[in-house]
């Protein structure tokens, strides 16, 4: 007899696995779910966390890269990517993921003027002010000096 979990029950079991310090169980649950529903973002992130907790950095980066390709605005995935990339000495990837996460969280990534404009543009889009978003994007591009 096979038992089918719904998403809520699955996520509860995965979270309980992390709480019990059993990332192997969380990984097993997540992989089983993703075999049938491969693009489930919350479960992909849980799998990335499980790989991280098990010390499997390359596997974690692989699943997080896949997740970010589906949802580049997933700030927790960007943050975990930053941590894992930094642990592997992948400084450029760590810096990029960290900057994206910072901007997604509405913080300023640096003192560079373009980051302030990027945040302003994102906030304008969220309120439906497309003209202000366009102007902010143009200013971000103008203020981003080549390195």
């Amino acid at each position: 007899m096979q038992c089918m979990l719904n998403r809520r029950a699955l996520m509860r079991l995965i979270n309980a696995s992390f709480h019990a310090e059993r990332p192997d169980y969380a990984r097993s649950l997540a992989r089983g779910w993703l075999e049938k529903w491969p693009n489930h973002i919350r479960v992909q992130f849980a799998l990335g966390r499980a790989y991280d907790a098990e010390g499997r950095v390359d596997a974690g980066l692989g699943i997080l890269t896949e997740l970010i390709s589906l949802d580049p605005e997933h700030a927790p995935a960007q943050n975990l990517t930053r941590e894992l990339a930094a642990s592997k000495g992948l400084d450029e990837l760590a810096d990029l993921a960290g900057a994206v996460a910072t901007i997604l969280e509405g913080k300023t990534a640096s003192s560079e003027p373009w980051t302030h404009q990027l945040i302003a543009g994102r906030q304008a889009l969220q309120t439906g002010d497309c003209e202000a978003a366009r102007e902010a994007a143009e200013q971000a591009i103008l203020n981003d000096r080549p390195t």
Side-chain angles (χ1 to χ4, degrees):
M1 182 168 116
Q2 194 171 23
C3 178
M4 187 63 164
L5 293 174
N6 63 34
R7 281 180 284 190
R8 178 179 290 171
L10 174 78
M11 292 311 298
R12 284 182 180 163
L13 284 171
I14 287 173
N15 289 331
S17 300
F18 285 123
H19 185 70
E21 299 180 7
R22 291 294 310 267
D24 58 319
Y25 191 64
R27 176 182 37 83
S28 178
L29 287 166
R31 289 186 71 190
W33 184 271
L34 290 170
E35 285 176 9
K36 293 187 182 229
W37 296 281
N39 294 329
H40 192 281
I41 290 173
R42 287 182 64 201
V43 178
Q44 282 182 321
F45 182 65
L47 181 56
R49 285 181 56 211
Y51 284 139
D52 175 36
E54 292 179 315
R56 298 175 60 188
V57 175
D58 290 331
L61 283 171
I63 195 72
L64 291 168
T65 299
E66 186 178 324
L67 185 162
I68 290 169
S69 74
L70 295 170
D71 184 6
E73 293 188 3
H74 194 285
Q78 295 283 2
N79 274 318
L80 186 54
T81 297
R82 176 187 50 78
E83 291 174 21
L84 295 180
S87 76
K88 291 280 291 183
L90 303 171
D91 296 335
E92 190 171 315
L93 176 58
D95 290 345
L96 176 63
V100 170
T102 299
I103 290 168
L104 290 173
E105 293 166 346
K107 302 173 188 169
T108 302
S110 72
S111 61
E112 294 291 329
W114 69 269
T115 60
H116 299 281
Q117 293 298 324
L118 191 57
I119 291 169
R122 189 168 194 285
Q123 291 170 342
L125 277 177
Q126 289 173 335
T127 62
D129 190 347
C130 295
E131 182 60 25
R134 183 190 62 74
E135 289 172 9
E138 287 176 357
Q139 287 301 311
I141 291 168
L142 290 173
N143 287 319
D144 183 21
R145 294 171 292 193
T147 55

